[in-house]
Each structure stands twice: as C-alpha cells, then as structure tokens.
Amino acid sequence: MIKKLSLISLFTLLPASYYFAQTTVYAYIKDAQGKAVENAEIDLAQSANDVTADKIGYFQFVDMQPGHYVITVSKQNFDSKIIEFDVNADEKRKDLGVINLTVSGAAEAGVMLVDDSANDTDEGGSSMQPTVGLLSSGRDAFQNVTAFELGAYWFRPRGIENRFEDVLFNGVSMSKNDDGKVDFSNWGGLNDVTRYPYENVDNITPSEYAFGNLGGVVYYNTRASSYRKQTSLAYSFTNRSYFHRAMATYSSGLSKNGWAFTFSGSRRWADDGVLDGTYQDSYAYFAAIEKQFSSRHAINFTAFGSPTYRASNSPNTQETYDIMGKNYNAYWGWQDGEKRNSRIRKVFEPMFMISDYLKLGKTSNWNNTLSYQFGRDGRSRLDWFHAADPNPTYYRKLPGYLFQDVDSDGGVQITAAEQPLYDAEVLKWQTDPNVSQIDWNSLYNANYLNRYDMNGKPRGAVYTIVDDVNKDKTINFVSHFDTRLASNWKLNINFNYQNLKSDNFREMKDLLGALYSNDLNAFNYDAPNDLDNPDRKIMVGDRTQYSYELMRNQYALNASTEVDFPKWNFVASVFSSYSESQRDGDYRHARFNSKGKSELFDAFDAGIKGKITYKINGKNFIVYNGAFFSLAPTLNEIFISPRVTNMITPSVDNQIINSNDLSYILRSQILKLRVGAYYTTINNATEISRYYADVSSATVDQGNALVAEILSGVNKTYKGLELGAELKITPTLSATGVVSYGDYRITNNPKVSTFDDDSGYISSESRWGNAKLKDYKIAGTPQKAYSLGLRYNSTKFWWVGASANYLQDQFLDFSALNKTTSLFTDPITGDNYNGVTPELIEKLTAQQKFEDQFMLNANIGKSFLFGKYRMGVSLSVNNILNNRDYVTGGFEQGRNVNFPEALLDSNRKYPYFAPKLWYDRGTTFFANVYLRF
C-alpha cells in the first residue's frame, strides 16, 4: 500500500515539476542595422548562470521558474540594455524577441587620436604620455568621458602613468622593457582592427589574460575569424598630429573550408603640421590568416607594423612663447627653401605572431602564442664638438639674457634705456628665421671652413646630426588555459616568457658637409670614446660615442578564478615572475667601466588581486577591488647611465604597490551611475630623469652633458573620488556627468644622486642628501576634472553631442636637485649662504601650479544604409573656444643649484632657466567618413 501511495505521489508531482523545468527564455541580440551581435554577455540578476550570445546573437536560459527577472545585456563599445520580464507558470517557452544594442557614441565615431609624438622628446622632465584610456572606451559613463572628452587633454584617470597600463595582443605585452611604457606607435593607424578589444578591464580589476597593473588591461584577439565579414574604407581629415588619414580593411569571414582572412592598411600624413615644422608620414599594415581544422582546433598567423617618420616639437620657456607664439617649434630651420627638422623619429618594429587555439572537452580552452618582434627606433638630434650650441633657444641667445640688468634693489629688469634694444631684438626674432630657427646654412659653412687646418690636414666635423638608435629583438611565448570547473566556477592560468636583446648605439646620420667626425669625448679632454679604437674617423652610418646591448629574460605565471553566486561574485588572481637583466658594452670608456658584461640583476615579483561584487538586486551593485604586488625596475632604472657605464643604480629595488577601490553601481533604464573611492600607495620607487645640461664655462663651450638625476626610495599616494552618471532624459536625449576628484602626491623625502658624463656618479651621501619633496604633487595630469555633456541620438541614425570640461590642479614637474639642501648651502663653508631665509627657500622651491582651464567639445555624425552598404560621417571638435593657456606638460630645468644664482634668476622677468612647457594646440577637429559593405 505504501509503495502504491509513493508511486501515485511521484506521478502526481512529475507533470508539474517537468512543466516548470522546461520553461526556456530566449532572444536574439542585434545591432541597429539588424546584424547579429556575437559574444554579448547576458547577466541574469537572480542567478549565477550567466550566458554569452553565440555567433548569430542567440542566447537562452533554461529551467526558469515562475517569477520576475532582470537581465543586463552588455557588449564592449555598445550601450548596455536592461530587460525586465515575467515568467508565468503556463509558459514552456518565452520569446523576448530581438534585443537591439546601439553602438556607443565614441565607438560609432571611431575617432580617438593619440598624439604619440609627445613621447619623442628627450629634453627631460615629464613629457606628455598617451594612456590606454585614450584608445578604448569603457562600459560606463566615467570611462567613456575620461577617454574621449578629458583624455584629449592628457587627463590620466587616477593619475596613473602609461607604464602602469597593459595592452596585450593575443596575450603578448606591448610594454617596452626600457621604460615599461606602452608604445602606441607600433600599431598606430590600425583603428579598424583594434576598435573593439576582446577584454577591457579598468584600473586594478582582475583580468582573465594577465595579472595586470594599476591602469587596467586591454586585450586584443586578432583571430581572422573574429572580425565581421566586410570591407571598410575610410578617410579622415584633421589638424592634430597629422592632416590626412586613409584606411582600408577587408575581412573574409570564415569560409566553408575553414579559412579566414583579415587585412588592413592605412596612411597618416602631413607635409607641415599645425605646429611649425612637424611633418609626418606614417603607414600601417595588418594581416591575420586563420585555418580552422575543426570546431576544436585552429591556427592563426598575425603580422602588423607601423613604419613611421615623424618630426618633433620642442618644449619652450615662456619668454620664447611670448615672442613667437604658442605654435613655435625650435627644432627646425629653412634649408634650400624647405623646412628641415633636426628631431626626427623614424621607427619600424614589425610584430609576427602564430597562435594555436585548442578546445579541450566541453568546457576547456588552451591557447598558445609565439611572437617575434624586431626593428629599429631612431631619434635624431643635432650634435656639436667644440662649437656653440646651435639651438636658437639656448638661453644665452634669448633677448631676456641680453638685456636684463641688476637694479639697485637687487631685482633684475629690463631698464627703460634697454627696452628699445630689447624690442628690436624681439622684432629680429619675429622676422629673421636665421635667428629664431636653426640656421642650417651656418652649420654647413662652419663645417666647410673647418675641413682643413692651416697645413691642409683634414679635420673633423664641428656640427653633425646623429641618431640615437635602439634595435630590439623580442621573443615572446604566451600560454592561456581556461576551464569551467562548474557552471558558476571558472579558472584561468597564464604563462609568459620573454627574451629581449636590445642593441643601443649612436649612429652618424649626416655630416652636414664635413669630411668625417671625430669619435672623441669633449668632457674628458678629447679622449677617445672607445679606447680600443682611438683614431676612428666616423662616416655616415658608423657607430659613434656609445654602443651597448641590454638583455632581459622574464618568466611570469598567473592564475585567476571567478565564482558566481546569485548574490555574490568573487574573483581572485595571483602571479609571480622572475626576471634577469644585464648590460654588455662594446666601447671601452676612458673614465668608466663600460666594456663587457655587467653584473646580472635579477628580480622576483609576486602579487594578489581580488574583486568582490555584491548584487543588491538586478540594478544595484557594490564592488570592491584590491591589489597588493611588487613591480621589478625597468632597464632604464636598473642601469644608471648605460651609454657610458655598466654601473647598476645603487639601492634600486622593486616597487611595492597597494591599491583598493570601492564602488556603488546603479544600472537602470533611466539612470546609470557609478560612484566610488580609491586609495593607492607606491613605495620604494626609483625614478631617473635624464636631460642634457650645459656644462660650458664663460670661455670654453664643451657642449651638453647627459645628466641622470636619481631619486631613490620614492613613496607616493594616489587617492580620490570618482562619479560617472548617464541619465536618459528622453529615449533620444541623454546627459552625462563625470567628477574625478584626486590627490596625488609624494609622501617622503627621497635620496638624490646624479651621474653625468662630466663628473660621473655623485651620491646622496657625498653631496646631495635628500630632496625635500614630501607633499609635492605628481605632475603630468590634472588631479581634478569635471565634465557635463548632452547627447541626442536620433532614431534616424544621426547624433549630436557637446560637453563642457573643467580641469584643475595641474602641476609642474620639478627638478629634485633644486629641492636639496645644496641649493642654500655654501660648499666652501658648509653653512647657509648669506641672506638665506625660510621665506626665500619657500619661494625658490615651491612647486608651480597652473591655472584651472575650461574646455568645450562637440561632435556630430550620421550613418546611412543603402542595401548592404553602410556609410557614416562624423565630426568632432575639441577646445572650441580655442583656449591656448592650458599647459599640457612641463618641467623645471635642472640648473642653478646655488642660492645666489637661483634667487637672482627668480627675480628676472624672463629667468634664464625658466621651466620648459608644452601648450595645448587650441581648437582641433577630426572629420571622418567611412563606407562598409
């Protein structure tokens, strides 16, 4: 009887249980033109079982019980969409229909121009640095606005420098070993194939493909089959770092026999840029060829490169800008009726990759990539030997040097009697290019007159152009394994190996009419630069002055895991790495140990990251991110002055980084909001600033010595608040608001030492001591920024938008030597100079803060659909009000570590050694038209 009752109960309950278990919710995701959006993520708020749309944009949830549900559909560079629906007890299948995602405005425009010429300077100090945020927009309003509105003005989110960011192509890092920075010029112009990153995580959020750093990870997957089948043609006209850009891209899609091809090429060029003498001619190419042997195995070959020829622009003192205007560039002059720039960067470093994609079982993938990159990066400059500095802005040539005298009160001004003479000199600057620009004819004449001595014996060049060259050969092997240990539990393992051989040397580029050049060291009584070859006569193409190789091997292992629950999501990531670095010098220097191999410098790194998400409901979330890790020094930090010595920087060690952030996120149909706070510390950093300083006396012009200024044990904090909001006022009109309120400063007084070609190494103990830098602000970015924007998206596929942006707390980069006690201590007596007071010390050492700035941007665009042809036009304009007062970067000159001279210079209307600055270029535009089919 009991058995019968049990069977009756079982069969009575089965129909209802079976009925509920078979409820399936499904939909298709498409873009505004009706094309499938693949790999979109669908987050079901009430469950841990999130899904991903397939290649035709289809997704489904099975075993849905009756109730109310909320899903969030998101895809990189598309606006997220929230869908609410009910599942009823009598539904076996529920069709949500087609969910249309709209391309975010910045992605649709497809224009974010990185002016990578800003990295070409070697003047020292803090130059402008492009950031990863400039290349791709994030998913929320804050990331989009900081990338495309504030990023145009060199704003760095959280103050994080380029070297703390990661860009990966198939897992291969694009960061350079010498300084850790991402060199965007290696793929400049390839916008079509880098428009949509496969993964883009912000700040310290853990990544599936790398441990990452402070500035996030952008991961590009270059599988040929991952690109949409289409042909794209585009032309852009702009007045930024170039004038014209032409691009063409073709993607075949996956054929029936398993082949896929993607090819892209572009050219960017300007015969003469907005800034005087800044011409450019850059090409780019990309090829991806994939063969799928089965649904479980594929191999992809990728090659890309961007041969670039680009002229640089100079930072200048305020006096020079006052005389010549904000577009002035000191690096060029007229030669035979054409502008010739002395600072040319010519770089071509192609990358070749072969990737193997293997699917193991139903839930595991194993991807491996082997890459090889080689090439040449050359940066030219004028050089001179026992001759006057040819730079037109050399301080002894400026009007302010010629006509400023000490008055009776100790001030230094231009007297009434001298004012006409000063004005005449200014007029000469403004009207005579042989004064205000490089006088190429005089350089050739000087070499011609110096060809032979009085006895007819040949002599070497007085002026030359040299190239500082590095030729890197880099091998990478990257392995990525991922698996689902359960439906809500994922594991990722990454292994990386890198081998670098970097050949560094100075090469003779142009003798400027001379017969040859002497390979002699003016800082050491004309001793040979290479004692093993004392009588070398340098011809074009020969190495001169320095030659050495840097070698580095690095191994890294990273594992991360993600566990998802209905209310909680946990992500953890750990890593460890080992690196060894060495220098091998080719030249035997007369004073320094430079020939042969240096000691081996090895470093071990480790770290942990975590992310915890609490899902209050389908619209409200609280997210915590934390990271604690060490970071090995770069090659430029390890070797104090690698051009002339094997010496390893004393006390150089790993940086220790601790970072935390906490955010509240709201995702609703009307309002999307993120508000958060962050706190980051970087301790034990070694920072080396390299610049050329004049070491000439009143009677002997030795030239410019390369000075390395070393700060050891630097501690810094980065803290602040972030708010990003997007409000849909109507279905077509939206408003965005962003607040970034930061405070980035040094928190201790680090030790200072120097190394230069003239004096060698000078330790902090022997002379410089500690720099009084505590509470000095981090330079190179506004620390506070605000943006308010409006955007209208028409249902007829056009849009118009505008934003008002306010930038605050931009500070000048400082010279550490001027912040030591050596500034006001008499080296002869050991006591303070006469007249030293706390007020005067404060005056001479205070960090300069620039004025706050307001910028207005606007953009407009429209797309058209003609059958299978899609056409789009867009125009963006930055700095509409033509604000030329915004200083995008600058630095103090490393001079006058002497109280009487520094005080005298500070009293001048135009100090001899005033800071050198870069100014914003004013109103810039970018017009783009494309055709896709």
Side-chain angles (χ1 to χ4, degrees), residues 394-395 691-694 704 815 818 893-898 913:
Y394 179 52
Y395 75 97
Y691 52 87
Y692 285 91
D694 177 53
N704 283 359
S815 169
N818 292 336
Q893 296 194 64
R895 311 287 183 90
N896 282 342
V897 190
N898 176 296
F913 304 113

Side-chain angles (χ1 to χ4, degrees), residues 391-408:
N391 181 358
T393 59
Y394 179 52
Y395 75 97
R396 296 185 186 182
K397 297 180 180 180
L398 291 173
Y401 177 83
L402 300 174
F403 301 106
Q404 291 186 87
D405 292 332
V406 181
D407 61 25
S408 58

Side-chain angles (χ1 to χ4, degrees), residues 309 342 344 380 465-467 507-511 540-542:
Y309 181 88
S342 64
I344 301 293
S380 69
I465 291 184
V466 294
D467 252 352
E507 181 180 87
M508 183 57 61
K509 183 177 182 179
D510 194 335
L511 288 167
V540 171
D542 289 346

Side-chain angles (χ1 to χ4, degrees), residues 32-45:
Q33 279 70 42
K35 294 184 178 181
V37 176
E38 60 178 299
N39 294 325
E41 297 177 2
I42 300 90
D43 180 11
L44 180 61

Side-chain angles (χ1 to χ4, degrees), residues 750-931:
K751 293 183 177 180
V752 183
S753 56
T754 59
F755 188 101
D756 66 75
D757 301 338
D758 186 41
S759 305
Y761 178 65
I762 302 176
S763 69
S764 60
E765 290 77 13
S766 63
R767 180 174 179 183
W768 302 117
N770 292 56
K772 307 298 183 181
L773 297 179
K774 187 176 181 181
D775 291 330
Y776 274 68
K777 297 299 183 76
I778 306 297
T781 179
Q783 301 208 358
K784 299 176 179 62
Y786 314 86
S787 180
L788 180 64
L790 284 173
R791 180 182 175 85
Y792 179 80
N793 280 303
S794 170
T795 56
K796 299 185 181 297
F797 307 115
W798 64 270
W799 79 89
V800 61
S803 70
N805 307 282
Y806 194 68
L807 306 166
Q808 279 188 314
D809 290 5
Q810 171 87 312
F811 291 88
L812 182 70
D813 200 6
F814 49 79
S815 169
L817 293 181
N818 292 336
K819 310 302 181 287
T820 65
T821 56
S822 295
L823 173 67
F824 49 85
T825 302
D826 189 332
I828 298 176
T829 65
D831 299 323
N832 287 352
Y833 286 101
N834 291 331
V836 171
T837 65
E839 292 76 18
L840 288 177
I841 293 176
E842 171 64 22
K843 173 185 176 181
L844 295 179
T845 61
Q847 187 177 20
Q848 182 176 343
K849 179 183 177 182
F850 299 114
E851 293 182 357
D852 301 341
Q853 302 294 331
F854 175 78
M855 301 292 185
L856 187 64
N857 299 343
N859 60 83
I860 188 171
K862 179 172 175 54
S863 61
F864 308 86
L865 196 61
F866 309 103
K868 68 175 184 178
Y869 294 90
R870 183 184 177 190
M871 179 181 177
V873 293
S874 63
L875 172 67
S876 64
V877 183
N878 289 340
N879 195 355
I880 294 175
L881 302 179
N882 196 32
N883 181 353
R884 299 304 306 271
D885 295 329
Y886 179 49
V887 178
T888 59
F891 55 91
E892 289 181 343
Q893 296 194 64
R895 311 287 183 90
N896 282 342
V897 190
N898 176 296
F899 176 80
E901 292 182 5
L903 181 61
L904 187 65
D905 205 36
S906 70
N907 288 329
R908 294 186 173 102
K909 178 180 180 180
Y910 294 116
Y912 297 165
F913 304 113
K916 289 195 172 184
L917 310 172
W918 286 275
Y919 277 93
D920 187 76
R921 298 183 179 188
T923 302
T924 59
F925 67 87
F926 193 100
N928 188 62
V929 58
Y930 68 82
L931 177 65

